[in-house]
Amino acid sequence: MQLRVWALAGLVVLATVLQTSLVPFLQVSEVRPDLLLVLSLAVGLTFGPREAGWIGAAAGLCEDFLSGRQVGLFTASLALVSYLMALAGQKVYREHVAVPVMAGFVGTWMLHVVEATLSLVGGIDSNWHLMGLPTLLEAGANAVLTGLAYGPVRRLEGLFSRGGRYVAGRRPGAWL
């Protein structure tokens, strides 16, 4: 259990470093993928809502500190969206390839709506004007990345489940 926490914390740190160092070079106009959202959605679909909320809060806190804006906006938004998407993910067949892709797309829209709503309620200049094409393109990029990140996170879950040994080439969670 404790090793899993450290591994997930390491993934949050890695995603934060990549988000701040590599992703700005991938930005096209106002569109760039959100690796912290992608990670929290993949973790939520794999480990469940509780872990999704914690990883979303940790990733959001990292994003808050690095953005230089109001601390708490990204933390609350990312934790809430990750938790809700993980709850929704429990109701579907998660092994289907379309599930993480749709989670990435819908999760991006939800994150932007929650952030804009919390900004509006808090009296902060909101980004409702970006809810059109930029959000659609970012949702598409995040959908692809969530689909790609889901497999490795599932394998990570397989390594930490029940203390057993993961068997490569079998479905995640399959043990000898």
Side-chain angles (χ1 to χ4, degrees):
M1 172 71 175
Q2 193 158 3
L3 185 59
R4 179 172 75 174
V5 170
W6 285 108
L8 292 175
L11 286 176
V12 170
V13 170
L14 178 65
T16 303
V17 168
L18 290 174
Q19 183 71 33
T20 57
S21 61
L22 178 67
V23 172
F25 294 110
L26 302 175
Q27 181 171 344
V28 177
S29 183
E30 297 176 5
V31 178
R32 73 171 118 178
D34 188 349
L35 298 182
L36 296 168
L37 172 65
V38 166
L39 175 65
S40 61
L41 291 174
V43 166
L45 288 173
T46 303
F47 290 98
R50 190 179 92 194
E51 285 84 356
W54 284 111
I55 293 297
L61 192 60
C62 290
E63 202 165 347
D64 275 330
F65 285 140
L66 295 172
S67 72
R69 293 176 38 185
Q70 292 75 17
V71 174
L73 176 66
F74 291 121
T75 303
S77 301
L78 198 50
L80 177 65
V81 169
S82 300
Y83 182 81
L84 292 176
M85 290 303 294
L87 276 178
Q90 288 181 331
K91 306 291 183 201
V92 296
Y93 181 67
R94 293 180 299 177
E95 283 76 20
H96 194 280
V97 69
V99 171
V101 172
M102 288 304 297
F105 192 84
V106 173
T108 302
W109 277 99
M110 282 179 61
L111 183 66
H112 282 277
V113 168
V114 169
E115 284 176 358
T117 303
L118 289 177
S119 296
L120 192 63
V121 169
I124 306 166
D125 184 31
S126 66
N127 58 354
W128 282 106
H129 65 284
L130 297 176
M131 292 300 290
L133 186 60
T135 300
L136 179 66
L137 295 173
E138 182 182 338
N142 288 344
V144 170
L145 290 175
T146 305
L148 293 173
Y150 182 64
V153 172
R154 284 288 288 183
R155 283 191 287 285
L156 180 69
E157 185 261 342
L159 290 173
F160 295 121
S161 290
R162 294 180 260 150
R165 186 168 68 93
Y166 180 70
V167 178
R170 299 178 84 191
R171 70 173 179 78
W175 299 92
L176 287 176

